[in-house]
Amino acid sequence: MLTLAEIGFGAPEALLARHGLALARVADGEPIPGSYWGECEAGLIGTTVYARSDTPVHSLLHEACHLLVMPPERRAAVHTDATDSVPEEDAACCLQILLADQLPGVGRDRLMADMDAWGYSFRLGSARAWFEHDAEDALAFLATRGLLP
């Protein structure tokens, strides 16, 4: 899986900043604050996403997208677990795929492959199949909130 060590922190930090979020770099080997999955997976507290150099890019984008799809008034209170509903989870998955195209060296194809390798579960069998054939509700959710890139 593609990690932040491979693409650097600059582009992801700028992408998150454009959306009103902060990226906090965690020292290698240190625990990641607010990480739901632990180990190298990204964490979130309020409007800050925490990551190390070994954090997978898909994890960083997924947690950031959780913050972006939720109502702004809920963001400040978020700590570790941002999921509120299936529509928000689907919208976060969809948005992370779309935003991957804005990161040099990533793109949606690589991101979807990494999502599958990590173990994201979609009823059509893969992230690509879901995104291309079953993400209409997630895209509508994003459109109504002005989140389509």
Side-chain angles (χ1 to χ4, degrees):
M1 278 178 270
L2 190 64
T3 66
L4 288 170
E6 296 169 87
I7 68 162
F9 278 77
E13 184 174 37
L15 176 63
L16 269 59
R18 286 195 299 274
H19 292 280
L21 304 178
L23 174 57
R25 186 173 185 164
V26 177
D28 291 344
E30 293 296 318
I32 298 175
S35 177
Y36 183 82
W37 297 102
E39 298 184 28
C40 62
E41 301 296 325
L44 49 93
I45 300 172
T47 59
T48 302
V49 180
Y50 295 85
R52 293 189 311 230
S53 61
D54 63 339
T55 296
V57 174
H58 76 84
S59 177
L60 169 78
L61 286 175
H62 188 78
E63 296 308 324
C65 289
H66 267 299
L67 293 173
L68 295 175
V69 303
M70 73 174 51
E73 62 273 10
R74 279 190 25 230
R75 289 182 193 154
V78 170
H79 194 300
T80 309
D81 188 1
T83 301
D84 187 53
S85 66
V86 170
E88 279 188 8
E89 183 68 36
D90 290 349
C93 288
C94 188
L95 186 57
Q96 80 184 86
I97 292 168
L98 295 170
L99 291 181
D101 287 339
Q102 296 181 25
L103 292 176
V106 183
R108 67 181 63 185
D109 292 334
R110 176 60 192 261
L111 193 83
M112 287 187 282
D114 284 359
M115 290 169 74
D116 291 341
W118 188 86
Y120 287 67
S121 175
F122 295 100
R123 65 179 162 241
L124 295 183
S126 72
R128 177 177 301 287
W130 172 78
F131 183 74
E132 293 177 352
H133 304 289
D134 195 29
E136 297 85 10
D137 290 346
L139 288 165
F141 182 106
L142 295 172
T144 61
R145 287 161 177 79
L147 291 171
L148 289 176

